[in-house]
Amino acid sequence: MEIDSEKMLLVAAQAASKAYSPYSKFKVGAAVLTESGKIYAGCNIENASYGLTICAERVAIFNAVSEGELDIAAIAITSEGAAKPCGACRQVLHEFAPGMTVIVGDFGGNFSRKFSLRDLLPDPFDGGFKKA
Ligand code: THU
């Protein structure tokens, strides 16, 4: 699947405008690209019980998976400062596509970086010895 980083970052930035983040005031948007070429978006959604907050990356990938899309090629993530995905999200992304491309960018389109998830999450949890 050809990855159009700019388009994905644009969709992610649009999703970030929907962020529900009254506590941190930090807006994050994510756009997941499937191998079939579809894009699924997500934003972070916070809660008064802070720990129940869910990150934009997980909203986006769960959005794709809940539509039956299990072949994931890439994710683009936008925030002020082009933050990289948190550890919990790296593990969740790994579940569906260990070698997926991860693109991070800022809102202005001035800065972006591209990674392989394998570099962001070396030696992940995989069920251990029970899994052949
Ligand atoms: N957040 C994300 O959406 N993705 C990450 O990878 C890390 C953090 C959100 C959670 C919370 O709403 C806000 O950013 C501040 O942590």
Side-chain angles (χ1 to χ4, degrees):
M1 168 52 50
E2 176 106 12
I3 297 170
D4 184 340
S5 299
E6 275 183 27
K7 183 181 172 189
M8 288 181 69
L9 286 166
L10 215 62
V11 174
Q14 281 163 1
S17 71
K18 308 256 173 46
Y20 177 75
S21 53
Y23 305 104
S24 74
K25 317 262 190 242
F26 191 69
K27 291 175 181 290
V28 186
V32 162
L33 175 71
T34 67
E35 291 290 358
S36 61
K38 290 192 201 134
I39 295 182
Y40 293 85
C43 61
N44 55 325
I45 303 173
E46 298 187 345
N47 191 273
S49 175
Y50 291 6
L52 298 180
T53 292
I54 183 161
C55 296
E57 295 90 326
R58 273 176 285 161
V59 172
I61 198 158
F62 290 160
N63 196 7
V65 172
S66 65
E67 291 294 328
E69 300 280 357
L70 293 170
D71 296 328
I72 309 294
I75 187 168
I77 305 152
T78 51
S79 64
E80 202 180 310
K84 294 181 288 290
C86 76
C89 286
R90 294 178 196 200
Q91 179 68 35
V92 170
L93 296 174
H94 170 270
E95 181 74 20
F96 300 103
M100 75 195 294
T101 299
V102 179
I103 303 150
V104 299
D106 63 2
F107 290 134
N110 299 311
F111 177 85
S112 70
R113 283 181 78 187
K114 200 185 265 193
F115 304 90
S116 166
L117 182 58
R118 282 188 218 287
D119 296 324
L120 295 181
L121 187 69
D123 214 0
F125 176 73
D126 60 0
F129 65 86
K130 288 185 281 186
K131 207 171 163 186

